[in-house]
Amino acid sequence: MRITVLTLFPEMFNDFVSTSIIKRCLDKGVASVDFVNIRDFSKDKHNHVDDTPFGGGAGMVMKCQPVLDALESVRSENSYVILMSPAGTKYNQQVARRYATIEHLIIICGHYEGLDYRIYKHVDELVSIGDYVLTGGELAAMVISDSIIRLLDGAITSESISEESHENGLLEYPQYTKPADYNGDKVPDVLLSGHHKNIKEWRHAQSLMQTKKYRPDMFEKYELSKEEVKLLQKYEDNQ
Ligand code: ADE
């Protein structure tokens, strides 16, 4: 998969592409990420990419020409174009999975007060990472790229993906590592038992309980099987 980011601040992505799992994925060719600096497409002698809003008001608005020329320089038949915006569809794991199947994802990062509205009809989707306003779309683009790249074949083992939070409508079960006793705070016995069936059952029950406790909104949407109702009862009674 190829991700192309259109931005005025490509340097913001330097650490993102050169650290940890994302770096390894890019080195291995699991995905490629490239950047287009929108300013390179300015035709203005001062390299301006923004101007004051028609009708007046505070702030600056990004102009059509540099953004659309930057877009056309990388867009092909296989591209899907998203624009980072607090007004967009709310991003979640389901959307991440959908994007992970795209051959070429182009992410446009807005800045300042926003983009000229005439740009919007050239994009496939507006995407928001949450109900708050960032100074620009770059951090949102990193959030989205990160969550997509880790889902791609060869990034991380598919087992760790299938068991993690949000993959099956539930939160992940609690994890522990050494020492088994940290200043008297002990790891649950079952995890030290080596009994795989019991561990699996405990983890499933914990997953249900964590979701019920921390994300009641998700729990309400989750359809419990008869076995899960019994499992939950068994573990809740033992608490
Ligand atoms: N740009 C500014 N705020 C944003 C948000 N919440 N999500 C995506 N892009 C943004």
Side-chain angles (χ1 to χ4, degrees):
M1 177 186 192
R2 176 182 172 203
I3 299 176
T4 301
V5 183
L6 270 57
T7 170
L8 288 171
F9 303 100
E11 67 279 7
M12 280 181 74
F13 294 81
N14 289 350
D15 286 344
F16 173 67
V17 296
S18 58
T19 310
S20 184
I21 296 173
I22 298 301
K23 174 183 174 6
R24 203 176 63 218
C25 288
L26 300 180
D27 287 348
K28 279 204 295 184
V30 167
S32 70
V33 182
D34 50 273
F35 301 93
V36 175
N37 190 334
I38 296 168
R39 201 174 296 282
D40 291 344
F41 289 82
S42 168
K43 289 188 172 154
D44 185 298
K45 68 172 186 265
H46 300 294
N47 272 350
H48 286 153
V49 289
D50 56 345
D51 212 329
T52 52
F54 278 122
M60 300 294 271
V61 176
M62 282 173 74
K63 290 151 72 82
C64 290
Q65 177 272 317
V67 175
L68 292 178
D69 284 356
L71 177 58
E72 289 321 311
S73 77
V74 284
R75 185 176 210 163
S76 74
E77 272 172 18
N78 304 323
S79 309
Y80 190 76
V81 183
I82 61 173
L83 170 63
M84 298 296 94
S85 161
T89 328
K90 189 84 74 70
Y91 191 66
N92 61 23
Q93 191 67 16
Q94 215 177 324
V95 181
R97 279 196 295 268
R98 174 159 62 89
Y99 288 172
T101 65
I102 290 169
E103 202 170 304
H104 182 209
L105 184 70
I106 300 179
I107 308 180
I108 306 178
C109 303
H111 231 88
Y112 313 118
E113 285 307 301
L115 297 127
D116 188 306
Y117 192 61
R118 289 168 290 186
I119 295 169
Y120 285 46
K121 56 172 150 323
H122 297 265
V123 311
D124 295 307
E125 197 174 356
L126 261 60
V127 184
S128 165
I129 61 161
D131 290 342
Y132 42 81
V133 182
L134 302 164
T135 55
E138 284 75 13
L139 289 170
M142 281 184 241
V143 166
I144 285 177
S145 305
D146 185 289
S147 59
I148 296 170
I149 291 171
R150 64 190 295 290
L151 289 177
L152 299 174
D153 282 347
I156 51 181
T157 65
S158 52
E159 198 186 339
S160 41
I161 287 180
S162 65
E163 293 195 351
E164 70 195 5
S165 295
H166 299 291
E167 272 303 321
N168 54 4
L170 294 174
L171 298 181
E172 195 180 12
Y173 48 80
Q175 298 272 23
Y176 300 85
T177 187
K178 294 177 199 69
D181 183 337
Y182 180 71
N183 297 339
D185 197 354
K186 295 198 176 83
V187 167
D189 285 339
V190 61
L191 297 178
L192 311 176
S193 68
H195 194 302
H196 295 299
K197 190 159 167 275
N198 288 355
I199 292 173
K200 199 166 171 213
E201 182 194 278
W202 180 88
R203 286 180 163 166
H204 193 162
Q206 294 299 320
S207 196
L208 294 166
M209 288 180 354
Q210 294 281 314
T211 311
K212 192 173 174 185
K213 180 171 173 188
Y214 293 111
R215 288 296 302 271
D217 57 317
M218 279 171 68
F219 190 73
E220 211 166 289
K221 285 193 205 127
Y222 186 79
E223 282 187 35
L224 289 167
S225 67
K226 278 192 190 135
E227 291 75 31
E228 285 175 320
V229 172
K230 276 195 215 148
L231 188 65
L232 200 55
Q233 234 161 24
K234 173 175 158 188
Y235 279 78
E236 283 180 337
D237 287 349
N238 276 338
Q239 264 186 341

